[in-house]
Amino acid sequence: VCRSDELPDCGDPFNPGRVPSSECDNFFTQQTFTCFKATQYAAGQYVTVRGCAPFTTDVFPGNMQKGMVGSYWKGTNVMSLCDFANCNSAVSNKVTWMGVLALTLAVFRLY
């Protein structure tokens, strides 16, 4: 989780090079499918918070989580849910499956 009032690069405009991403499944014992971005006017400024949505498959099945994707407004405040890697605009520090496959093929060709 990052907060723009504590880390300005977390706000809008977002500076992804200075805010690391997190794999949400590292925080919960059940698989999660959604991330969030919330922006709210508080204490005379807009504060943006980004992170993993607290919905696990124990409570919300995967298809239900994907069905909740979208932006929800109340006045000028907004809460957005998204369902693909780094969709709340964080940079990825994960290795992709295509990268692993390419590396594996390259190693096998050497031998």
Side-chain angles (χ1 to χ4, degrees), residues 23-89:
E23 173 57 53
C24 290
D25 283 343
N26 292 336
F27 298 103
F28 303 105
T29 58
Q30 298 292 319
Q31 189 173 16
T32 61
F33 291 94
T34 53
C35 298
F36 76 90
K37 173 186 166 190
T39 302
Q40 183 166 1
Y41 191 77
Q45 65 179 346
Y46 281 97
V47 177
T48 299
V49 180
R50 301 169 195 267
C52 301
F55 307 129
T56 64
T57 52
D58 265 352
V59 180
F60 294 100
N63 286 336
M64 179 181 267
Q65 290 183 44
K66 291 176 185 276
M68 295 187 307
V69 167
S71 295
Y72 303 91
W73 291 85
K74 183 174 183 183
T76 58
N77 301 326
V78 63
M79 167 83 169
S80 299
L81 298 171
C82 53
D83 65 349
F84 56 91
N86 300 302
C87 58
N88 62 354
S89 298

